[in-house]
Each structure stands twice: as C-alpha cells, then as structure tokens.
Amino acid sequence: MAQDSIESHQAGFNFEDIGFSYSLLDRATASEQPDFKKTDPEIMLHLYQLMKDTHEVFTQAGIRYWIECGTLLGAVRHGGIIPWDSDLDVEIDVHQEQEFLALRDTFKELGYDIIDMPFGYKIYARFEGLDILITENIDGRIMLQREEVKTWWGRRGQHQIHFREEELFPLKLYSFGAIEVYGPQNPYPFLFHNYGDDCLTKGFIQVSHGGN
C-alpha cells in the first residue's frame, strides 16, 4: 500500500466532519423506542477511519465490496453511521476471499487484525470492528455463503434475505459522513425485507447487536 495512505490513516480526520445529525431519528413512540444510547464520539471516529481505510485498501486491490445491514441503513437514512451503532458491515464475493486474505499485512500496517468469524471475517482494532460477510451468487441472488450463518437472517420468499443481482449492480457510491463508500444500486428491497417497511422513519435496538 502507498505510504501516503498509511500516513492518512495515522492523521485521521475530525469527528466534526462526519456531517449528519444525531437528532434525525427520534421518531418511534415511547413504548417502541428504548433510550438510544449514542455511540461515543471517539468510537465513531475510529469506525469512520476503519471504513475509510478499508475502502481505500479494497479499491487499490481491486476488491469489489458493498455495505449492507445496519451500515447500509445508516448510509440511506442518516448519510453515515447510525448514531447508536457500534460496528460496520460489508460483503464481498467468495471468489475474492483469497485476494482479501492476501491483504492481512496491509491491514496490519494500518493497525488492524483480521479475525475469522462464522460469517467470514472481522477487521478489528481496539473495540471497533468491520464485519466482512462472504457471499455467493446463486441464480442471480446474492446470499450468505457460509452454511453456519444461512439461517441468521429472515426470509425473502423461499430464500434467506438477499440482494438480487439487478438490485446490487452496478454498485454506486454513497455519502457516508465525510467519506464515500460503495453500496447497492437499489437498497430498498433489501432494507425493507430486513428491517421492515418503516425502517426509514423509525429506529430500533437489536438486543444482541448495535442499534438499527
């Protein structure tokens, strides 16, 4: 990786540049909405830095990725990380898994470890992480590839929740705080199947995860 990218990582960027409002999603009723504890600004800064570095490394290496789950919901609904979320989620195709693993040393230079997970991998530093979910294309449906996690999500018709190929590609850039990230051409079918038709106007907390 180019030295200027490593220096950019070390320099970081200001939390004030993130560019979205924490007050955007105070919409659910009192019975529906717990106290949304906003993620500490320092952790948020590290998450943005992690996303920025991952985007740069993947782009330089020719690895095609796209944001998904709560990270995609945050990009669409907030223009950045959901204010009470605590990690990042991206997907890559199984055919580029080995290319990704070949970048271990590059990520290590930037201060990150790559950890094996049931769904794929986690790029990890301190208390922050970016989940790399491994996917496969089955008859035009982009679905989780690892057998042990295929039942984690809900259903879309007869299949696990997924992107259809024509919804995902061509990828487009999303504003994500002060940076840009790649995501699906049409995010709405995936988001509505995963989080419900009201997910753009109502926030909620998942007990076993960060908020969405």
Side-chain angles (χ1 to χ4, degrees):
M1 185 175 184
Q3 183 64 34
D4 60 347
S5 296
I6 296 173
E7 290 171 354
S8 173
H9 167 83
Q10 293 170 337
F13 52 89
N14 293 328
F15 185 71
E16 289 74 13
D17 292 337
I18 285 170
F20 66 90
S21 172
Y22 273 152
S23 64
L24 180 61
L25 235 218
D26 295 329
R27 294 175 179 164
T29 66
S31 61
E32 295 169 326
Q33 177 173 301
D35 180 18
F36 288 173
K37 183 178 180 181
K38 295 164 187 171
T39 302
D40 182 90
E42 184 178 358
I43 293 176
M44 276 289 198
L45 178 61
H46 285 290
L47 287 171
Y48 276 104
Q49 186 69 62
L50 174 53
M51 188 70 251
K52 176 179 181 288
D53 291 336
T54 301
H55 171 81
E56 290 178 351
V57 171
F58 279 10
T59 300
Q60 289 184 18
I63 293 179
R64 186 167 65 173
Y65 82 90
W66 52 94
I67 56 172
E68 56 95 59
C69 284
T71 304
L72 177 60
L73 180 58
V76 173
R77 195 172 66 188
H78 298 264
I81 300 172
I82 294 172
W84 47 89
D85 206 354
S86 58
D87 73 349
L88 300 158
D89 310 288
V90 310
E91 293 182 348
I92 65 172
D93 188 90
V94 64
H95 293 107
Q96 291 200 293
E97 182 175 0
Q98 294 307 311
E99 295 174 57
F100 162 66
L101 291 175
L103 297 170
R104 282 186 186 272
D105 289 344
T106 300
F107 279 105
K108 193 73 173 177
E109 277 190 274
L110 295 171
Y112 304 119
D113 292 315
I114 295 177
I115 303 170
D116 291 349
M117 301 293 288
F119 50 77
Y121 305 92
K122 184 184 287 287
I123 303 173
Y124 185 81
R126 298 178 61 185
F127 302 107
E128 298 80 47
L130 184 149
D131 294 340
I132 304 288
L133 291 90
I134 305 300
T135 66
E136 59 185 343
N137 187 331
I138 301 177
D139 298 327
R141 298 180 182 91
I142 314 302
M143 299 193 289
L144 297 180
Q145 185 262 346
R146 300 291 175 86
E147 284 295 330
E148 55 264 50
V149 299
K150 286 186 175 181
T151 59
W152 280 14
W153 288 351
R155 309 296 292 176
R156 182 176 180 180
Q158 298 180 346
H159 305 279
Q160 64 174 260
I161 291 175
H162 58 274
F163 293 103
R164 292 193 175 124
E165 195 169 8
E166 65 271 17
E167 297 163 357
L168 185 58
F169 302 117
L171 298 175
K172 68 178 182 180
L173 284 169
Y174 287 73
S175 294
F176 198 70
I179 63 177
E180 289 186 319
V181 296
Y182 283 108
Q185 182 65 215
N186 177 7
Y188 301 108
F190 177 88
L191 290 177
F192 293 159
H193 278 92
N194 212 3
Y195 300 113
D197 293 344
D198 60 352
C199 67
L200 300 184
T201 59
K202 185 183 293 182
F204 62 93
I205 296 290
Q206 290 181 331
V207 174
S208 61
H209 194 271
N212 292 312

